[in-house]
Amino acid sequence: MTWKPELDELERRRQLALELGGPDKTARHKGQGKLTVRERVAGLVDAGSFEEVGSIAGFPEYDAKGNLMGLTPANIVCGRARVDGRTVFVTGDDFTVRGGANDGGLRDKFAYAETWARRWRVPLVRLVDGTGGGGSVKHLETLGRTYLPDVPVFTEVLDALSEVPIVALGLGSVAGMGAARVCASHYSVMVRGTSQLFAAGPPVVARAGQNVTKEELGSSSIHAKNGTIDDDVDREAEAFARARRFLSYLPASVHELAGRQPSNDRPDRTAEELLSAVPRDARKVYRMRPIVEVVVDAGSWFEIGRAWGKSVITGLARLDGWPVAVLASDPYHYGGAWTADASRKAIRMVDLAQTFQLPVVHFVDIPGFLIGKEAEASGVMRFGTQALAAVRNSTVPWCAIMVRKAFGMAGLTQRNGSLAFLRYAWPSAQWGSLPIAGGVEAAYRAQIEAAPDPAAKRAEIEAKLEALQSPLRTAEAFGVEEIIDPRRTRSYLCRFAEFAAPLRQPGRPHFGYRP
Amino acid sequence: MARNVIAPVAGRVIQCLVQSGEMVAPDTEVAIVEAMKMHIPVVAEQTGRVALWLVSEDSQVAEGQALLTLQD
């Protein structure tokens, strides 16, 4: 006698679980251009690496004699897997069972799926396609009572952000807790057209007097532009690729350090175009992204959050194989001035860098915080000051390339709170507490007004001050570490990455990561 | 179908670079908006013919405001 009959019974249950919510619901789901949860897991992880946990957990139906008649699987599929050879934990919602809502799941399996990664110190990838924690109000009838809203495990879910990298992909219409699970991540992506995200969906919103479609209410474009998510893509496969790419720069947890990858790009490679990258005409803008791309290891630039907070560009890259976080100004957007959104976006990247000990490179061209009525109405100084705090509280090694402007309080973001910071200035750099043009008016008003030709007097004073603005004069007073040849920027940064590597300190961040 | 080219930043339109009837393509500069003392080019994101300017030189525009309408 063997235990083969039991194994057969196990296999039968596994096969039933693979049918998800049944052929009709699966066909309808796929008909909307979406993959099933199992196809998603397969698309994300290394081929054959998925080791499922709780594969037969669900809702069995037995007849009076105890024979299994059917099995509806719990609507979470989870397990360990490998991504580019490294262990991760994956949890995916199955929309074909009760719309991915909590009442189609098992509380213990949900808790397990959300906490395993944190407890075992590996990255977590969530494939979110479900609604709230409460499921449907129908649930009240079954329960015969109501309850205080709580998801006991959510304290640990949120704390996990200070322990392991978390990537969340919004792959359907996600509401309530589903939406919060997308946002409670270090990197989040939605798919254009097939995913939406909201606190509550159109039927609930309609009761509050707004009649809108899912897309009008919470399309990926709305949320990529307001910073609720980091990026949106055209297809689910792209979302998987971005998840893998994001994780490639990070350690498995805060208790380890990110590894160096072999690089074929010479650290001393020069870039001739950088000599003329910044126009001499002070009012002319230039493209920052090509500057970043030519400086970092070839092909290593991974931009995050392109659609929002546009005056600051954020992303991950490698320098001689070492992963780093990058901030860079985009002069095409308010001349690089930090807006409320740009400040929020910078906070997100700096906190990520601090949490996972990625040294930061900042390409600086910041005329200040955005000024004017709209800027004040947006609360720019509150969010800007939060950004200053995030930068100055961070202690990870930091290197600024002073590309052009650094003015005012926003200019303080050139360096962080680390004792290990470096600033290299291009000859095009200029800086100060106030830009000359605006400052002259305020500081020399009496002199200008008293002059026979006030306009000529203003111009004379401006010319006199501008002559003092060369970065060489600052360097002569050792007000900046070094002025460099822009063409050689890469070699300086690669050496920075090398100096920085041993200074990285694993361990929990000194703050609780706030998504 | 009519589509708009919008101002990427709030500021003052200092130059309109294309005229009604002209064809534009992605990356064609259609206007210069001055913001934070910088001259910021506004580029078309799609191909089309300029049907109508909705603002004139020297006007103040809000971020996201339509500057001109394109036709197929």
Side-chain angles (χ1 to χ4, degrees):
Chain A
M1 282 297 286
T2 69
W3 293 92
K4 185 74 170 51
E6 283 78 5
L7 285 180
D8 289 344
E9 279 297 304
L10 170 65
E11 187 54 30
R12 191 177 149 219
R13 284 162 175 76
R14 282 187 176 153
Q15 290 305 319
L16 288 169
L18 291 179
E19 290 172 17
L20 307 177
D24 293 350
K25 287 191 169 149
T26 303
R28 198 162 75 189
H29 181 74
K30 290 181 67 94
Q32 291 174 339
K34 299 176 193 177
L35 300 175
T36 66
V37 64
R38 292 189 178 277
E39 289 168 337
R40 286 169 177 164
V41 171
L44 172 75
V45 307
D46 295 353
S49 72
F50 184 53
E51 184 190 339
E52 189 168 355
V53 177
S55 61
I56 65 163
F59 304 92
E61 290 162 47
Y62 288 98
D63 67 11
K65 292 180 182 151
N67 299 310
L68 183 73
M69 307 298 289
L71 173 75
T72 303
N75 58 9
I76 286 174
V77 171
C78 69
R80 293 172 286 271
R82 288 184 177 267
V83 162
D84 294 332
R86 299 164 67 207
T87 300
V88 301
F89 194 85
V90 183
T91 175
D93 302 343
D94 180 3
F95 188 80
T96 67
V97 176
R98 296 274 321 122
N102 219 26
D103 51 6
L106 293 170
R107 177 172 285 237
D108 290 347
K109 189 174 183 188
F110 170 78
Y112 184 95
E114 283 289 338
T115 56
W116 199 91
R118 176 190 181 280
R119 295 177 184 183
W120 291 82
R121 298 184 173 177
V122 296
L124 172 66
V125 183
R126 291 193 194 106
L127 309 169
V128 185
D129 191 355
T131 57
S136 147
V137 287
K138 274 190 191 163
H139 194 40
L140 295 187
E141 220 177 310
T142 335
L143 207 58
R145 61 176 171 82
T146 183
Y147 48 84
L148 268 171
D150 196 11
V151 183
V153 80
F154 227 69
T155 304
E156 196 175 342
V157 166
L158 293 167
D159 185 70
L161 289 160
S162 301
E163 287 277 340
V164 295
I166 300 180
V167 176
L169 309 181
L171 300 172
S173 299
V174 303
M177 187 168 73
R181 285 169 65 230
V182 171
C183 295
S185 64
H186 300 103
Y187 184 58
S188 52
V189 181
M190 285 170 67
V191 183
R192 295 184 193 106
T194 55
S195 72
Q196 299 83 26
L197 180 149
F198 16 68
V204 182
V205 170
R207 289 295 296 267
Q210 283 183 344
N211 285 297
V212 285
T213 65
K214 287 193 289 190
E215 278 286 296
E216 287 166 341
L217 185 61
S219 71
S220 68
S221 154
I222 290 170
H223 293 309
K225 286 181 180 149
N226 68 24
T228 295
I229 58 161
D230 294 294
D231 287 310
D232 62 341
V233 296
D234 284 323
R235 296 176 57 243
E236 291 192 19
E238 283 176 67
F240 306 147
R242 289 192 75 84
R244 296 171 67 100
R245 183 85 187 267
F246 176 81
L247 291 173
S248 74
Y249 298 90
L250 295 177
S253 79
V254 298
H255 304 286
E256 295 176 32
L257 292 170
R260 184 184 192 179
Q261 277 188 359
S263 167
N264 296 322
D265 198 356
R266 276 187 14 237
D268 62 349
R269 173 175 56 78
T270 58
E272 193 60 32
E273 63 265 43
L274 296 182
L275 189 59
S276 53
V278 178
R280 292 196 75 101
D281 179 345
R283 287 175 181 271
K284 274 213 159 138
V285 296
Y286 59 92
R287 298 281 182 196
M288 181 61 93
R289 287 183 179 83
I291 294 176
V292 173
E293 278 186 73
V294 77
V295 166
V296 301
D297 291 357
S300 76
W301 171 234
F302 179 69
E303 185 171 350
I304 293 173
R306 188 175 179 128
W308 80 295
K310 290 180 177 178
S311 39
V312 57
I313 298 165
T314 62
L316 303 172
R318 288 182 184 274
L319 288 167
D320 201 19
W322 293 107
V324 293
V326 176
L327 303 179
S329 306
D330 185 355
Y332 269 75
H333 208 75
Y334 293 114
W338 280 26
T339 59
D341 274 359
S343 301
R344 291 168 52 216
K345 180 171 159 182
I347 291 169
R348 190 158 164 78
M349 181 50 64
V350 169
D351 285 353
L352 178 78
Q354 179 68 19
T355 301
F356 295 104
Q357 293 290 293
L358 299 179
V360 177
V361 175
H362 191 182
F363 293 84
V364 181
D365 183 357
I366 303 177
F369 288 120
L370 185 65
I371 62 170
K373 271 182 71 172
E374 296 81 3
E376 299 305 339
S378 73
V380 64
M381 282 314 294
R382 168 63 58 207
F383 294 109
T385 307
Q386 284 180 2
L388 290 179
V391 170
R392 291 300 177 109
N393 285 342
S394 79
T395 54
V396 75
W398 184 284
C399 184
I401 301 298
M402 308 305 295
V403 175
R404 203 183 217 177
K405 294 177 183 167
F407 285 97
M409 290 307 290
L412 266 66
T413 61
Q414 99 224 213
R415 55 159 286 202
N416 71 345
S418 167
L419 297 177
F421 70 90
L422 273 170
R423 294 161 307 185
Y424 294 119
W426 286 9
S428 45
Q430 48 168 285
W431 39 54
S433 293
L434 273 176
I436 287 172
V440 163
E441 207 60 57
Y444 294 86
R445 178 172 299 148
Q447 250 179 287
I448 291 168
E449 281 172 1
D453 182 349
K457 188 69 185 173
R458 185 185 308 118
E460 180 198 319
I461 296 170
E462 282 183 12
K464 196 169 73 184
L465 295 178
E466 261 157 34
L468 302 176
Q469 214 172 29
S470 160
L472 299 178
R473 285 182 176 250
T474 311
E476 284 161 4
F478 200 59
V480 64
E481 286 83 338
E482 197 64 25
I483 314 280
I484 64 168
D485 181 338
R487 292 171 292 187
R488 299 183 55 219
T489 303
R490 172 173 167 76
S491 62
Y492 286 96
L493 286 179
C494 287
R495 281 198 298 281
F496 160 71
E498 189 188 329
F499 300 150
L503 300 181
R504 300 172 300 159
Q505 291 180 324
R508 279 181 67 98
H510 57 266
F511 56 94
Y513 182 97
R514 290 189 181 174
Chain B
M1 197 184 79
R3 290 149 298 153
N4 296 328
V5 175
I6 61 160
V9 293
R12 185 170 63 96
V13 178
I14 58 171
Q15 223 182 340
C16 299
L17 300 170
V18 293
Q19 314 221 322
S20 290
E22 249 181 80
M23 284 299 292
V24 299
D27 287 337
T28 304
E29 292 188 1
V30 301
I32 306 285
V33 173
E34 186 183 58
M36 294 298 283
K37 295 184 212 113
M38 302 302 287
H39 294 176
I40 297 173
V42 180
V43 297
E45 287 179 351
Q46 298 159 312
T47 302
R49 189 176 299 281
V50 179
L52 183 67
W53 270 99
L54 303 169
V55 298
S56 54
E57 285 186 3
D58 227 29
S59 46
Q60 288 288 332
V61 293
E63 184 176 325
Q65 184 177 334
L67 301 182
L68 59 82
T69 303
L70 292 179
Q71 275 180 335
D72 287 328

